[in-house]
Amino acid sequence: VSWDQILSALAAICGTANVLTGRDVSDRFDGWPPSSPLGAACVVRPASTSEVAAILRHCNANGIGVVPQGGRTGISGGARASHEQVALSLERMHGIGPIDRANATITVEAGATLGAVQSAAAAEGLFYPVDIGARGTATIGGTIATNAGGNRVLRYGMTREQVLGLEAVLADGTVVSSMHAMLKNNAGYDIKHWFIGSEGTLGVITRAILRLRPQPRAAATAWMGVASFPQVTRLCELLVDHTDGALSSFEVMWPEFLDVTLRCGRHQNPLTSAHAFHVLVEIGARDASAILESGLAAAWDSGVIADAVIAQSEAQASALWAIREDSPARAAALKPAFHFDVSLPCSKMESYVEQVKAAISQGWPRSRVVAFGHVADGNLHINVGVGDGNSDTRKEVSRQVYGPLGSLGGSISAEHGIGIDKREYLHLTRTPAELHLMRLMKAQLDPGNTLNPAKVLP
Ligand SMILES: Cc1cc2nc3c(=O)[nH]c(=O)nc-3n(C[C@H](O)[C@H](O)[C@H](O)COP(=O)(O)OP(=O)(O)OC[C@H]3O[C@@H](n4cnc5c(N)ncnc54)[C@H](O)[C@@H]3O)c2cc1C
């Protein structure tokens, strides 16, 4: 069939106005950083699960690749599409509710933004704990498809832990409804987990039932200067012990982080003296301030922290978080920057970062390596600037960053997924048996290979 026929069929499913072509496609970016125009043949915007099913059925029957898209804030190229593929945007499926207060759940359509779901929960005095810098644009479907982590994994777990039920559409248009609202459900295989973190390669997520938590009565935030990495890990142990489960964030920034981030002129250094490591912590509890103050007092008495500032207002807390979350500032300072998101045991992080820095500076003496991350949950982000951004250089730098992870018991992706950008490195931290099982699963659920083809698996 010709593309004209495909476009007409898609228009018959969801209306001509919802099949975008030409400039309406290329004016969109295909991921983060927002630098490359979307390359799809068209963007199709269904309004319901049945329209999603009809689109997938039609494309599958005609061997056309379909790329599911949420907010396109993904960092591994999972939402990138080629000129021969259809981009399926969930943007019109953004319904939120109902909220079931008694059972603390919320039912949402996949295209609702994370921020809108957080606000809807808060309006009912409840709390959706997944939180990432892209909250205003990233969608629930995208965060489920990537199993997003973010700032509060330490206390609440990743997106996987928040999903009670979901609805997904397979490549052939079969609708799989697994919209259960129970926390416990051991009746056979837990089908929702097949789709969570599958980056749109096994099914298009259309709806979900999410678990909500009690709204923390209060939050307290502090920024600390710490002299060494062993002191950082000691501080983490001490605060976990001292805060009785109320520690929700423990963000660590290596020495270069502030230097690079403050260059944009948008922020002020929270501390007046220089420190090797900076740590941002958040406590959520009724008596958050008292818990934080006594935790910091204990850390101070043990000589673990060298300096600290406690936010005195929400505005001050936001200003501290703005430093941590200003990835555009770091991207601009290192331009062109390569971004990595890895995980490994906390105890091995310091030597790993040193090893990566040494290897990169050998090849590029003027390189900058900026490490930071959620750390307490084993997650490290590394931004590298070596002065050029061509793909051979990216590959060489990637080898230096990913190379040591296998033997350290780490992973080449902590929370950003594999997409296209990390495909060729997947074998470094997955066993042949794991890869074989992944391929079997893909072949079973999408035998025609039309759903987000060429993503995740090499
Ligand atoms: C400033 C910034 C900060 C970030 N911070 C974090 C962070 O702390 N932690 C973190 O984990 N990530 C973070 N991210 C990455 C990104 O926001 C997440 O990966 C997010 O989950 C992507 O959501 P999205 O709706 O934008 O998905 P997209 O980028 O549109 O898609 C991502 C992947 O999911 C698939 N997909 C999207 N929607 C669906 C669907 N409905 N059904 C099936 N597949 C689908 C796509 O095909 C693609 O493979 C950050 C990004 C930015 C720009």
Side-chain angles (χ1 to χ4, degrees):
V1 291
S2 68
W3 269 104
D4 281 348
Q5 288 169 309
I6 298 283
L7 295 179
S8 305
L10 296 177
I13 294 167
C14 54
T16 313
N18 294 307
V19 180
L20 311 182
T21 54
R23 283 288 300 273
D24 290 338
V25 174
S26 58
D27 280 353
R28 295 175 170 224
F29 294 113
D30 67 358
W32 197 90
S35 48
S36 312
L38 183 58
C42 68
V43 175
V44 58
R45 305 186 300 171
S48 65
T49 301
S50 57
E51 288 185 9
V52 172
I55 293 164
L56 290 181
R57 204 176 303 120
H58 184 76
C59 290
N60 191 251
N62 290 288
I64 307 279
V66 178
V67 179
Q69 295 187 336
R72 286 168 284 118
T73 65
I75 298 179
S76 304
R80 227 172 273 156
S82 75
H83 292 290
E84 298 80 39
Q85 294 177 330
V86 169
L88 190 159
S89 169
L90 279 295
E91 66 200 56
R92 289 175 68 222
M93 295 177 61
H94 52 69
I96 297 179
I99 291 185
D100 179 343
R101 283 181 59 90
N103 294 303
T105 63
I106 185 169
T107 303
V108 295
E109 287 190 311
T113 65
L114 171 61
V117 171
Q118 289 174 334
S119 303
E124 293 289 329
L126 291 164
F127 185 58
Y128 184 60
V130 174
D131 190 40
I132 60 178
R135 62 184 78 76
T137 312
T139 60
I140 288 299
T143 55
I144 295 175
T146 58
N147 187 27
N151 303 330
R152 300 196 183 108
V153 170
L154 184 59
R155 179 164 174 188
Y156 297 100
M158 296 182 71
T159 298
R160 188 180 296 284
E161 273 76 47
Q162 326 308 328
V163 180
L164 296 175
L166 62 70
E167 177 185 84
V169 186
L170 302 185
D172 66 1
T174 306
V175 177
V176 181
S177 178
S178 192
M179 291 288 278
H180 305 290
M182 306 87 80
L183 191 54
K184 290 189 166 183
N185 185 3
N186 282 350
Y189 302 145
D190 201 340
I191 287 167
K192 64 178 181 281
H193 288 299
W194 298 0
F195 301 100
I196 302 170
S198 70
E199 299 183 59
T201 58
L202 301 182
V204 176
I205 296 154
T206 44
R207 291 194 302 149
I209 300 179
L210 305 171
R211 179 183 181 196
L212 299 176
R213 314 298 176 103
Q215 180 81 44
R217 295 291 162 88
T221 307
W223 185 289
M224 285 156 275
V226 182
S228 68
F229 196 77
Q231 303 278 51
V232 169
T233 52
R234 177 79 194 99
L235 174 64
C236 186
E237 283 164 21
L238 200 146
L239 288 181
V240 167
D241 187 44
H242 209 85
T243 55
D244 220 6
L247 181 66
S248 47
S249 303
F250 188 88
E251 302 290 319
V252 180
M253 291 146 272
W254 263 247
E256 301 80 2
F257 179 94
L258 267 194
D259 180 32
V260 167
T261 310
L262 297 184
R263 274 196 220 166
C264 67
R266 288 192 284 272
H267 316 284
Q268 283 193 329
N269 190 337
L271 304 175
T272 45
S273 44
H275 302 279
F277 292 87
H278 288 250
V279 181
L280 174 63
V281 299
E282 185 185 86
I283 308 275
R286 188 186 300 268
D287 44 357
S289 294
I291 295 176
L292 179 62
E293 277 169 31
S294 80
L296 292 197
W300 184 264
D301 290 345
S302 332
V304 172
I305 53 176
D307 198 0
V309 57
I310 298 179
Q312 299 299 319
S313 63
E314 268 185 40
Q316 283 184 9
S318 301
L320 296 178
W321 274 105
I323 302 174
R324 163 62 182 82
E325 292 188 336
D326 199 344
S327 40
R330 289 186 294 282
L334 298 174
K335 200 174 175 184
F338 302 133
H339 305 276
F340 301 96
D341 155 56
V342 302
S343 68
L344 71 160
C346 201
S347 56
K348 298 175 180 168
M349 277 185 189
E350 186 183 25
S351 57
Y352 166 73
V353 171
E354 287 312 312
Q355 183 179 352
V356 167
K357 273 188 193 168
I360 293 177
S361 73
Q362 216 169 22
W364 297 271
R366 297 178 60 192
S367 58
R368 310 255 2 218
V369 176
V370 179
F372 60 102
H374 312 300
V375 171
D377 56 28
N379 188 178
L380 198 59
H381 297 309
I382 301 179
N383 296 166
V384 181
V386 299
D388 90 72
N390 76 49
S391 66
D392 285 345
T393 308
R394 176 189 292 275
K395 281 187 178 173
E396 189 46 42
V397 172
S398 301
R399 270 194 284 275
Q400 306 294 358
V401 174
Y402 296 140
L405 290 168
S407 60
L408 293 173
S411 168
I412 63 158
S413 176
E415 57 180 18
H416 292 167
I418 297 297
I420 289 185
D421 296 341
K422 298 186 179 182
R423 259 180 343 185
E424 66 185 282
Y425 309 101
L426 189 57
H427 68 281
L428 291 175
T429 58
R430 288 295 198 182
T431 62
E434 284 178 306
L435 290 171
H436 177 64
L437 205 52
M438 287 185 205
R439 285 202 183 89
L440 278 182
M441 201 140 164
K442 173 71 177 168
Q444 282 300 317
L445 294 188
D446 180 15
N449 195 26
T450 55
L451 199 46
N452 219 1
K455 306 290 167 51
V456 180
L457 292 168

